[in-house]
């Protein structure tokens, strides 16, 4: 039986909601350019307290201060796809996967090297 919460209209609605939240944060706090780069909306110039590492993906929005090179954005595109697949389950599943990016399945899937973890 298919899970109605994964890769479904429900998950896509959650992804759309998360994207709206990401845009509200990014457009409000960004002091740099905001641009769309092959899918993700990249909001630059945010204060460091908004994210833990070099940036964070919320729905289709990547929030960062200045960590937006080509490899990182390739990594973040995978996170956008993960958000689309899992919707609002994404934050819970990501937290359950653990804080260590080397063992977090979402970071591994997105590419550790592209994400700057190796």
């Amino acid at each position: 039986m298919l899970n109605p919460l994964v890769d479904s209209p429900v998950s896509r609605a959650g992804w759309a909601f998360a994207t709206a939240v990401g845009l509200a944060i990014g457009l409000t706090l960004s002091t740099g350019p905001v641009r769309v780069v092959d899918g993700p909306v990249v909001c630059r110039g945010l204060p460091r307290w908004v994210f833990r590492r070099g940036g964070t993906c919320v729905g289709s929005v990547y929030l960062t201060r200045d960590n937006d090179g080509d490899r990182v954005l390739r990594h973040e595109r995978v996170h956008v796809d993960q958000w689309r697949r899992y919707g609002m389950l994404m934050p819970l599943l990501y937290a359950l996967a653990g804080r260590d990016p080397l063992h977090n399945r979402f970071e591994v899937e997105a590419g550790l090297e592209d994400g700057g973890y190796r």
Side-chain angles (χ1 to χ4, degrees):
M1 182 170 139
L2 295 175
N3 185 336
L5 300 177
V6 176
D7 205 14
S8 69
V10 172
S11 66
R12 285 187 286 287
W15 160 71
F17 175 77
T19 298
V21 170
L23 285 171
I25 294 167
L27 295 175
T28 302
L29 298 176
S30 178
T31 61
V34 175
R35 65 195 200 283
V36 177
V37 181
D38 195 27
V41 178
V42 180
C43 296
R44 239 184 106 98
L46 277 82
R48 295 212 186 272
W49 58 262
V50 174
F51 44 85
R52 230 178 254 245
R53 297 177 185 129
T56 193
C57 184
V58 180
S60 285
V61 182
Y62 176 56
L63 307 169
T64 187
R65 182 157 198 81
D66 56 11
N67 187 30
D68 62 347
D70 291 341
R71 291 183 74 181
V72 170
L73 294 181
R74 181 170 52 221
H75 174 91
E76 295 306 323
R77 276 190 290 280
V78 176
H79 287 320
V80 168
D81 292 340
Q82 292 167 342
W83 269 99
R84 192 175 293 117
R85 178 170 169 74
Y86 297 107
M88 291 307 294
L89 288 175
M90 183 65 182
L92 174 64
L93 295 172
Y94 189 95
L96 291 173
R99 290 182 127 184
D100 180 357
L102 301 179
H103 296 101
N104 180 305
R105 73 182 199 91
F106 297 100
E107 295 299 343
V108 171
E109 180 181 324
L112 293 173
E113 288 185 22
D114 284 346
Y117 296 117
R118 289 196 178 175

